[in-house]
Amino acid sequence: MPKNSQHRGYGKVFATPRRPYEKERLDQEMKYLGEYGLRCKREIWRVQLALAKIRKAARRLLTLDEADPIRVFEGDALLRRLARYGLVEEGKLTLDDVLSMTTQMLLSRRLQTVVLKLRKAKTMHHARTLIRQRHIQVGKQLVNVPSFLVRLDSEQFIDFARHSPYNVTTGTPGRVARKRHGAAE
């Protein structure tokens, strides 16, 4: 008898482009890589697939009648979820706005980008390093994934981890500070 774990259907996480050598797309991807400090193009493709799934759901809901209970229920849930992440403005919540979303909107809500905007890091690559080395926490949760999507209400709780030497209030001193302190005594 096969195990249940052998029948799990994991969905695709990213989709490679149909035309691998299209110059405009390659240039745009290289711009995103530098601007958002991404590791590889797969991170862009992952965001683009997530955006495509969101837009596909919105297109499907737009085909339904406005009074249809499925459109009302699922449409409100989709718009609420996107507003929670700051991808659409709270005032103009319509499904047409979902179709106008861009890859940059999703990339700007990544933890790596938000840490740089909050001036916790000097550069985008420094932000990625701080996150991967477990110096950043969101609320009380230590997060070491640069692609973590930050909600609007969680943005104010992004800070250095309690154990981090960058945290001036509770952090333990780093290796060099401990060495200097030992030499001073």
Side-chain angles (χ1 to χ4, degrees):
M1 179 119 186
K3 289 185 178 179
N4 195 20
S5 62
Q6 293 173 341
H7 294 292
R8 284 194 190 120
Y10 297 111
K12 286 186 69 89
V13 178
F14 69 96
T16 56
R18 288 190 181 130
R19 296 181 178 179
Y21 300 110
E22 190 176 22
K23 183 172 178 20
E24 294 82 23
R25 185 190 49 77
L26 288 171
D27 292 341
Q28 188 67 35
E29 286 176 350
M30 288 304 288
K31 182 181 164 209
Y32 286 157
L33 283 175
E35 186 179 344
Y36 293 101
L38 304 176
R39 184 176 60 90
C40 59
K41 291 187 178 182
R42 187 181 303 151
E43 291 188 346
I44 298 172
W45 300 338
R46 186 171 59 214
V47 170
Q48 286 174 341
L49 182 67
L51 180 63
K53 287 181 179 179
I54 291 169
R55 294 180 72 199
K56 181 179 179 182
R59 271 196 312 271
R60 183 182 62 82
L61 291 172
L62 280 170
T63 60
L64 300 173
D65 185 45
E66 286 192 29
D68 192 345
I70 293 174
R71 178 176 173 169
V72 171
F73 182 75
E74 291 183 12
D76 288 346
L78 177 67
L79 292 171
R80 236 187 351 265
R81 190 168 71 233
L82 294 177
R84 191 179 305 139
Y85 284 102
L87 297 172
V88 292
E89 284 83 34
E90 195 76 43
K92 56 171 200 174
L93 292 174
T94 63
L95 289 173
D96 293 324
D97 296 331
V98 176
L99 297 179
S100 64
M101 284 175 51
T102 61
T103 307
Q104 288 177 309
M105 293 170 99
L106 275 173
L107 287 172
S108 66
R109 294 307 305 164
R110 289 167 46 103
L111 180 62
Q112 182 178 356
T113 312
V114 175
V115 165
L116 181 70
K117 282 182 188 171
L118 294 175
R119 300 199 184 276
K120 303 280 183 197
K122 296 174 185 169
T123 64
M124 191 64 80
H125 298 290
H126 184 225
R128 186 178 188 95
T129 304
L130 287 176
I131 294 166
R132 288 297 300 153
Q133 293 178 355
R134 301 166 55 96
H135 289 292
I136 302 293
Q137 68 183 16
V138 180
K140 293 184 179 180
Q141 182 67 45
L142 190 71
V143 181
N144 66 342
V145 180
S147 62
F148 176 81
L149 286 180
V150 180
R151 294 181 177 182
L152 282 179
D153 56 345
S154 300
E155 194 169 331
Q156 61 188 349
F157 299 114
I158 295 175
D159 199 13
F160 290 113
R162 295 186 70 224
H163 66 81
S164 172
Y166 295 107
N167 191 335
V168 292
T169 56
T170 62
T172 57
R175 179 183 58 83
V176 176
R178 286 195 310 265
K179 188 175 180 182
R180 285 184 186 153
H181 182 68
E185 290 179 350

